[in-house]
């Protein structure tokens, strides 16, 4: 009998924009693969200072990898937080160029994610050329709660994060259509501007229940 073997992969999930001890408790219960902190970027309502980040991180479950999200920060800031082990990954969400990435890579062995705002095919092509370990495709400047035009996304052969307006209502279609290596959520798991433990749990469980055929 000619039996077709099906291989499945598990899509990873990151919950971003944690600011309070109760947010840490919520992710420790839901157990996403990654969580994220917006570091020293006061323009975001999800901003945390370095001191706040260090305190929050102390209570984080060791199986959840913490990412620091930076917007055009001095390169020394992510380098320091990566090398002291406060964060496991640095997500660069501003206009950091290849020179910045090369400099940061020279200062640390830890993993880098470069985020790109996707408006055109050229934006995707630029993202695919990135020297970062992971690329992240997002709608805009970050944390907008809005999706971008998914028709712009080709088949991507490197590990990548999909972000921008993802939530329980569109996670399954996004994963089946685009096959991201990981999904990244912030706005949809909030209520009244704060992280909502029930929404976080539902989103993580939704992703865990989606089996991706490879
Ligand atoms: O969330 C923010 O405030 C933020 C600020 C600056 C840079 C990035 C930011 N968040 C990133 O945005 C996406 C999630 O967006 P959404 O709210 O789910 O649409 C994610 O990559 C966050 O790291």
């Amino acid at each position: 009998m000619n039996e077709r073997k099906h291989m499945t992969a598990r899509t990873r999930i990151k919950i971003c924009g944690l600011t309070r001890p109760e947010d840490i408790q919520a992710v420790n219960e839901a157990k996403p693969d990654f969580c994220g902190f917006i570091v020293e970027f006061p323009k975001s309502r999800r901003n945390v200072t370095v001191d706040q980040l260090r305190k929050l991180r102390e209570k984080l479950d060791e199986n959840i990898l913490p990412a620091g999200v930076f917007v055009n920060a001095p390169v020394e800031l992510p380098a320091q937080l990566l090398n002291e082990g406060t964060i496991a990954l640095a997500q660069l969400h501003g206009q950091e160029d290849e020179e910045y990435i090369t400099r940061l890579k020279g200062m640390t062995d830890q993993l880098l994610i470069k985020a790109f705002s996707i408006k055109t095919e050229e934006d995707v092509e630029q993202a695919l050329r990135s020297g970062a370990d992971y690329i992240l495709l997002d709608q805009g400047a970050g944390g907008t709660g809005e999706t971008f035009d998914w028709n712009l996304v080709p088949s991507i052969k490197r590990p990548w994060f999909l972000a921008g307006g993802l939530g329980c209502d569109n996670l399954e279609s996004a994963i089946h259509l685009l096959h991201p290596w990981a999904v990244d959520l912030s706005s949809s798991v909030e209520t009244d501007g704060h992280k909502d433990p029930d929404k976080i749990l539902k989103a993580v469980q939704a992703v865990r229940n989606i089996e991706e055929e490879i």
Side-chain angles (χ1 to χ4, degrees):
M1 197 166 70
N2 195 2
E3 222 177 70
R4 245 187 96 200
K5 289 220 170 100
H6 291 281
M7 302 260 288
T8 56
R10 190 171 71 74
T11 310
R12 293 146 190 87
I13 176 165
K14 169 169 169 274
I15 301 293
C16 202
L18 310 185
T19 58
R20 307 171 303 166
E22 47 267 54
D23 301 343
I24 300 293
Q25 206 180 322
V27 291
N28 285 349
E29 277 162 28
K31 302 193 191 316
D33 302 279
F34 307 93
C35 69
F37 303 88
I38 315 298
V39 187
E40 300 289 356
F41 184 61
K43 280 189 189 162
S44 169
R45 62 182 172 80
R46 304 172 177 116
N47 178 58
V48 292
T49 64
V50 166
D51 284 349
Q52 287 171 320
L53 168 62
R54 289 194 181 114
K55 285 202 188 83
L56 289 168
R57 196 262 182 264
E58 278 173 19
K59 304 273 181 237
L60 184 68
D61 184 305
E62 61 183 10
N63 295 310
I64 303 170
L65 292 176
V69 179
F70 303 88
V71 180
N72 303 327
V75 71
E76 292 77 15
L77 179 61
Q80 156 95 35
L81 292 168
L82 286 164
N83 290 336
E84 72 187 28
T86 298
I87 53 173
L89 305 98
Q91 176 177 323
L92 310 173
H93 220 105
Q95 283 71 48
E96 301 85 1
D97 57 13
E98 281 301 304
E99 198 184 319
Y100 183 106
I101 291 170
T102 306
R103 252 191 97 199
L104 184 50
K105 275 184 165 278
M107 296 166 81
T108 181
D109 292 333
Q110 305 303 315
L111 296 167
L112 306 185
I113 307 170
K114 176 68 190 104
F116 293 84
S117 168
I118 302 301
K119 308 281 184 214
T120 64
E121 280 175 14
E122 289 71 42
D123 294 333
V124 179
E125 282 161 22
Q126 193 195 347
L128 294 178
R129 289 194 297 269
S130 173
D133 301 284
Y134 303 103
I135 54 173
L136 182 151
L137 307 188
D138 191 7
Q139 185 267 346
T144 63
E146 288 172 27
T147 53
F148 63 93
D149 181 0
W150 292 349
N151 292 314
L152 293 169
V153 180
S155 165
I156 298 182
K157 307 284 182 231
R158 55 183 292 180
W160 68 286
F161 288 70
L162 176 66
L166 293 175
C168 282
D169 54 339
N170 62 4
L171 276 169
E172 186 161 10
S173 52
I175 288 172
H176 286 324
L177 200 67
L178 303 177
H179 313 287
W181 184 80
V183 289
D184 190 1
L185 288 71
S186 185
S187 302
S188 79
V189 290
E190 291 177 342
T191 299
D192 297 333
H194 289 295
K195 288 290 173 287
D196 180 323
D198 286 342
K199 290 182 181 174
I200 291 176
L201 188 62
K202 282 196 181 106
V204 174
Q205 285 175 345
V207 171
R208 300 292 184 235
N209 287 332
I210 300 167
E211 286 224 325
E212 254 293 80
E213 251 182 50
I214 51 172

